[in-house]
Amino acid sequence: MPNLTNALSHIDLATSASIIAKMDLSDGGDSRIALIESAIQEVSAQITEYLGVHTLAVERTERYELRRFSKLLSLDAKHITGTPTVKIAGLPSQLAAATAETIDETYILNARSGLIRFVGDQPYAPAFVEVTYNGGYFATAGELGMKHYWLTDAAELQILYRLQRQDSLGGNIDTAGGQGTNFQGKYNFLPSVRETLRSHRRADV
């Protein structure tokens, strides 16, 4: 389940320059820069919420409630770097004084998926877990285009679609003579974007 302390944090998953280059605007896009930046922020936040994990990679401390008899904890981030500090207690107020768990002895971390598996008997029912870790997809805009290409490609495609739908977010738009695009229905994720994102959504354990 999601953490009890922080909302999901996102990074802009595209740059104005990359979007302008794909729009092929004769004016270079300067006249629409504010609209483009707004679309980037909006779509990046929507994608982050849909994935159910942080897209911004930073160090953070979060608390989770572990279901009774459960030994699995899905962090709100993937691609964990370094060794997390993991504490477990019967009440949130006891976490500060709790002894840190030992990786590969009392818990096992799947860094790529952000999944923690506790080893041995569960001493609390339910349990509260505090985890300090560094994880996410991108730490800075400079990392865009260097890794996780599926995410940046999907984001750019959706941002371009969002800009196309600027005047028809609530429904259809008709163009006389059959020219242009006849959008159907309320603005949402493109089917190809949704399909790409679905396979990377956070595991619910």
Side-chain angles (χ1 to χ4, degrees):
M1 62 179 61
N3 80 83
L4 304 173
T5 45
N6 301 319
L8 294 178
S9 55
H10 75 272
I11 187 172
D12 288 349
L13 296 171
T15 64
S16 298
S18 68
I19 296 301
I20 289 171
K22 291 178 171 59
M23 294 177 73
D24 192 26
L25 298 177
S26 58
D27 63 1
D30 291 343
S31 63
R32 301 185 65 190
I33 190 67
L35 184 62
I36 292 170
E37 290 178 348
S38 177
I40 290 172
Q41 294 169 8
E42 177 185 318
V43 171
S44 297
Q46 290 172 340
I47 287 177
T48 298
E49 289 297 322
Y50 184 80
L51 290 174
V53 293
H54 304 287
T55 49
L56 176 64
V58 296
E59 183 176 275
R60 51 178 64 89
T61 298
E62 296 174 339
R63 290 184 174 184
Y64 299 82
E65 183 176 359
L66 197 62
R67 297 186 181 97
R68 187 176 185 180
F69 303 127
S70 176
K71 292 187 177 183
L72 292 177
L73 174 64
S74 178
L75 297 175
D76 279 4
K78 298 184 179 183
H79 304 285
I80 312 303
T81 58
T83 300
T85 299
V86 180
K87 296 181 178 181
I88 186 168
L91 294 171
S93 60
Q94 298 170 340
L95 285 167
T99 301
E101 302 295 314
T102 304
I103 192 169
D104 294 334
E105 291 185 15
T106 57
Y107 76 93
I108 298 171
L109 171 69
N110 184 320
R112 185 172 182 272
S113 66
L115 192 66
I116 290 176
R117 179 185 296 274
F118 292 99
V119 179
D121 295 334
Q122 170 57 267
Y124 306 105
F128 292 88
V129 184
E130 182 178 271
V131 187
T132 299
Y133 68 93
N134 193 315
Y137 285 102
F138 305 104
T140 67
E143 294 180 347
L144 299 176
M146 299 177 63
K147 56 183 179 179
H148 310 306
Y149 304 107
W150 63 269
L151 180 51
T152 51
D153 288 349
E156 289 185 351
L157 186 61
Q158 186 65 30
I159 291 163
L160 291 168
Y161 178 61
R162 171 63 179 81
L163 291 167
Q164 285 183 308
R165 291 294 304 266
Q166 178 63 26
D167 297 323
S168 62
L169 297 179
N172 297 339
I173 184 170
D174 296 320
T175 303
Q179 301 298 314
T181 302
N182 183 27
F183 298 113
Q184 300 293 327
K186 187 177 180 180
Y187 165 80
N188 210 327
F189 283 130
L190 287 166
S192 60
V193 171
R194 186 182 297 275
E195 186 63 26
T196 296
L197 298 178
R198 183 182 291 121
S199 62
H200 295 275
R201 295 186 81 180
R202 176 179 179 272
D204 184 17
V205 297

